[in-house]
Amino acid sequence: MGGEAMSRKEFRTLADPEEVRAAIDGLALGGGTETVDLRAARGRVLAERVDAEVDVPGFDRASMDGYAVRARDTFGAGEAAPERLALAGAVHAGEAPTVTVDPGECAEVSTGAVLPEGADAVVVVERTEEIEVDDGTTIEIRDAVAPGDNVMTAGADIAAGSRALGAGRRLTPREIGLLSALGVDAVPVRAAPRVGIVSTGEELVRPGEDLDSSRGEIYDVNSNSIAAGVEAAGGEPVVYPHAGDDYEELERLLRTAAEECDLVVSSGSTSASAVDVIYEVIEDRGELLCHGVSVKPGKPMLVGRLNRADGGQSAYIGLPGYPVSALTIFRMFVAPAIREAAGRPEPASATIDGELAVEARSESGRLRLLAVGVADAGERRLVYPVDKGSGATTSLVAADGVVPIDPDTDYLSAGESVTVRLFSADVSPPSLLGIGEDDPAVDRLLDALDTPRYLPYGSRAGLARLRDGLPDFAVVAGPADDVDAVSVARWHREWGLVVPAGNPADVSGLADLVDRDLRLVNRGTASGLRTSLSNAVAALADDRGVSRHDIVEAIAGFESAVDAVETPARRVDDDRGDAGLGLRSTAERLGMEFVPLGEQPVELLVASDRLERSAVDELREAAAKLPDRCRSVPGYRFGGE
């Protein structure tokens, strides 16, 4: 079947989230019970009740250093009229008493010692005084005690036959301490469900292996991230080799995982594409319960069962291939099921309210989980989208949570109040939020700050968001007009064309790109570097007496663009271009040649209404040290115009 052409499989009616949860609830994910050594039990969940088999303590025990006495012998004792008792001997912790306390006597005891026969209380050592007399040692007692004072009787902590811990109790160091006191060395716990993880796709390469981007290869993100999520939820992840989209290979891997695991989770090959064949395997070798969920991101999701050789079935859940979609669906549906099977409680839900900084549009008909970041803006808490698409892994760490948007809602307005479901209870807003130009100096600045977040969306975005009141600061290359902000640092960077080592095409300036058959790798329009290049193109057009459009049309690759500051140079180095728009610092760091076209001013701008924040004081201090931090960065100079 793997070699035959397959027809496109259309999505069936998308299930709503509650239908998917109900289907998953019907799967058997539990791994049963196992007995583990107490030293390996931390974090596990008790499968059965544990009763005390012994008294704790198993004897009447002195709880203070002092003297064991018959309480009646101390009645009336005080500072003015102490009682004197003959010292009969001593008992230390860990030894059997060899002394008996008779009327008129006492025995020295240490904390934890067995109370000697005859004694029923302990006088603390601070309320006594030792006196030597002719016939031995006498102890002056200056405090009256009642029977049981400063004594822990046998079974006072927990008595034999008592219920010590109930089933379902998560074992922390406290519970392990109690079990140790009971002499328990192994405990029955809920077995962690074994979860087999299979990532699919011909393009996947394991991290650490060589990557061939020319073939469209990408590193496998989902295997490790889903395995971490399984472990955090209380499961035992088992990562299998990734598979291509061949039916026979997918079938073999999924059936192997089903034989060895309670739950099989795959990622990728779940959409309606003609090459996505997992649903075929599930229908042929098991049972398909759901195909598609009405959630964005995450529509291509499967729920079903896989047959085992023993006649039973293992649970199966198929996740989308894009990492953001895969983890969204995992958090929403799979992690709760694993926690329930492992006996783990649901983590405390954490939500915060805020004000949407910019408008957010949604696709009607599906629940949208909008990935957002959170920023403190004085007395306001701002919420801003960070969704760069399901295939953008940086969305995984740039977001603090999600804002659910109902299926019947087309958009949320800027300024609208929203509730953010945080990814975890310990998520907190960054100390500072910055937006703007991608620049090596900014990287060094961020290294000096405490938990900042910087979104390198370009100078245009930095200025626009600064006007909207979102970030604490923006980094802008080029003019920075019409913003209510204060400049706290300024530098110049040398920009131009990055070419291969040795400059084989003998590029000497912008005119070479116009007049010769050379390929340019350009930056996006939001970048300050693109603005400077556009200005240079306009100047060249004026010199030649032609339109700017004529110059742009003559430069191969001008209208194509990449986002990051080093990407053009790296593409040139990979022979995917003859010259890339970039910085001298990038060229020297990558061992390439540089053709200078000019200097560009860069400013660090702080929003005027954030100047009183203590984190901004930290930013100012770090900015003042930037010249020293960037001393080794070529093509940079600080201060001046």
Side-chain angles (χ1 to χ4, degrees):
M1 185 171 180
E4 299 175 4
M6 290 179 290
S7 62
R8 180 174 295 274
K9 178 80 169 184
E10 295 298 331
F11 282 114
R12 297 168 181 177
T13 302
L14 296 179
D16 66 42
E18 291 309 313
E19 289 178 300
V20 172
R21 289 191 181 96
I24 292 175
D25 287 344
L27 302 176
L29 305 188
T33 300
E34 61 180 338
T35 299
V36 299
D37 186 274
L38 190 61
R39 289 172 295 182
R42 184 183 67 82
R44 303 297 294 272
V45 176
L46 270 181
E48 302 171 9
R49 188 185 76 223
V50 175
D51 294 337
E53 299 294 333
V54 296
D55 286 333
V56 179
F59 53 90
D60 293 343
R61 182 172 67 188
S63 58
M64 303 287 285
D65 288 343
Y67 293 90
V69 299
R70 291 173 177 259
R72 70 177 56 239
D73 289 342
T74 69
F75 291 169
E79 289 289 346
E83 291 289 339
R84 292 189 174 185
L85 302 176
L87 183 63
V91 183
H92 298 292
E95 65 182 28
T98 58
V99 61
T100 299
V101 176
D102 293 325
E105 294 182 339
C106 65
E108 180 183 358
V109 290
S110 58
T111 301
V114 177
L115 200 69
E117 184 180 349
D120 59 7
V122 171
V123 180
V124 297
V125 67
E126 292 83 0
R127 304 296 295 160
T128 67
E129 184 176 350
E130 186 177 304
I131 300 173
E132 296 294 333
V133 294
D134 293 341
D135 56 349
T137 301
T138 295
I139 305 300
E140 262 192 4
I141 305 295
R142 298 195 298 274
D143 198 12
V145 292
D149 280 359
N150 301 315
V151 174
M152 179 175 279
T153 58
D157 193 350
I158 185 169
S162 297
R163 183 178 188 269
L165 295 171
R169 184 71 173 258
R170 190 167 183 228
L171 299 178
T172 73
R174 294 172 297 169
E175 287 78 15
I176 289 173
L178 173 58
L179 293 168
S180 297
L182 295 174
V184 174
D185 63 348
V187 287
V189 296
R190 295 276 288 272
R194 284 174 58 88
V195 180
I197 299 167
V198 180
S199 288
T200 68
E202 300 287 354
E203 74 279 11
L204 297 182
V205 175
R206 291 285 192 202
E209 297 178 3
D210 292 335
L211 191 71
D212 185 354
S213 297
S214 67
R215 297 184 64 246
E217 291 181 346
I218 59 174
Y219 284 120
D220 176 10
V221 174
N222 291 342
S223 289
N224 288 336
S225 57
I226 293 170
V230 167
E231 193 167 10
E236 178 188 347
V238 182
V239 178
Y240 290 87
H242 81 268
D245 294 314
D246 175 74
Y247 180 95
E248 285 77 12
E249 177 64 8
L250 278 171
E251 180 188 28
R252 185 190 67 79
L253 270 176
L254 291 175
R255 295 187 70 176
T256 298
E259 294 292 336
E260 299 172 349
C261 300
D262 304 297
L263 167 65
V264 180
V265 175
S266 71
S267 65
S269 295
T270 57
S271 77
S273 166
V275 298
D276 292 344
V277 298
I278 277 191
Y279 66 83
E280 300 273 5
V281 178
I282 305 305
E283 288 186 325
D284 291 348
R285 304 300 180 187
E287 180 183 6
L288 184 61
L289 303 176
C290 293
H291 183 199
V293 60
S294 184
V295 172
K296 181 180 181 178
K299 179 175 72 173
M301 176 191 185
L302 304 178
V303 179
R305 298 184 179 93
L306 284 165
N307 297 332
R308 297 195 304 262
D310 63 3
Q313 291 181 314
S314 290
Y316 167 77
I317 298 175
L319 304 178
Y322 280 144
V324 173
S325 296
L327 283 183
T328 297
I329 295 300
F330 179 87
R331 275 193 299 257
M332 188 172 184
F333 297 106
V334 186
I338 294 173
R339 281 192 291 267
E340 183 176 356
R344 294 278 187 93
E346 281 290 313
S349 60
T351 61
I352 59 173
D353 295 326
E355 172 187 327
L356 197 62
V358 295
E359 180 183 285
R361 294 196 170 272
S362 183
E363 177 184 333
S364 61
R366 282 199 283 163
L367 170 67
R368 183 180 182 188
L369 301 177
L370 179 66
V372 296
V374 179
D376 285 329
E379 296 181 356
R380 302 160 63 206
R381 174 162 286 161
L382 297 179
V383 177
Y384 55 94
V386 294
D387 189 357
K388 297 169 67 176
S390 298
T393 55
T394 52
S395 296
L396 301 176
V397 294
D400 298 310
V402 297
V403 171
I405 303 178
D406 293 335
D408 56 355
T409 300
D410 293 329
Y411 70 94
L412 300 177
S413 314
E416 189 168 341
S417 295
V418 294
T419 297
V420 181
R421 294 180 187 172
L422 298 176
F423 291 141
S424 65
D426 58 358
V427 169
S428 59
S431 60
L432 287 168
L433 174 65
I435 301 176
E437 192 74 4
D438 188 1
D439 186 276
V442 177
D443 295 338
R444 286 163 172 76
L445 177 73
L446 297 174
D447 289 343
L449 301 177
D450 179 33
T451 63
R453 178 176 293 155
Y454 187 73
L455 306 177
Y457 292 169
S459 295
R460 286 190 181 182
L463 285 171
R465 294 294 170 253
L466 205 55
R467 294 187 186 103
D468 292 339
L470 173 58
D472 298 295
F473 69 94
V475 178
V476 178
D481 302 324
D482 191 28
V483 287
D484 187 11
V486 174
S487 176
V488 298
R490 182 181 177 89
W491 61 91
H492 289 75
R493 58 185 188 176
E494 195 173 6
W495 71 278
L497 302 176
V498 182
V499 297
N503 194 1
D506 196 23
V507 177
S508 60
L510 184 59
D512 289 323
L513 301 181
V514 178
D515 301 331
R516 299 162 57 193
D517 186 21
L518 300 176
R519 296 166 297 165
L520 172 69
V521 184
N522 207 350
R523 289 293 309 278
T525 55
S527 165
L529 286 177
R530 174 68 172 260
T531 300
S532 289
L533 179 62
S534 295
N535 292 339
V537 164
L540 181 60
D542 287 343
D543 287 344
R544 295 191 174 188
V546 298
S547 71
R548 177 186 178 279
H549 177 74
D550 291 336
I551 299 296
V552 168
E553 284 291 303
I555 301 176
F558 187 93
E559 296 296 355
S560 300
V562 295
D563 287 336
V565 70
E566 285 194 359
T567 305
R570 291 183 177 275
R571 290 202 174 183
V572 169
D573 203 33
D574 289 340
D575 198 27
R576 288 188 283 168
D578 298 298
L581 178 62
L583 304 174
R584 178 180 291 277
S585 59
T586 297
E588 295 201 13
R589 200 174 80 81
L590 298 179
M592 302 175 70
E593 297 289 333
F594 182 70
V595 179
L597 295 180
E599 269 196 342
Q600 183 179 56
V602 183
E603 279 193 285
L604 173 60
L605 303 172
V606 175
S608 296
D609 62 349
R610 315 289 170 82
L611 292 172
E612 302 304 317
R613 295 191 62 194
S614 58
V616 171
D617 292 336
E618 181 187 10
L619 175 66
R620 286 178 177 270
E621 293 174 7
K625 298 176 181 176
L626 262 183
D628 289 334
R629 290 181 176 273
C630 296
R631 196 177 300 278
S632 62
V633 182
Y636 275 70
R637 65 181 180 87
F638 284 80
E641 293 298 325

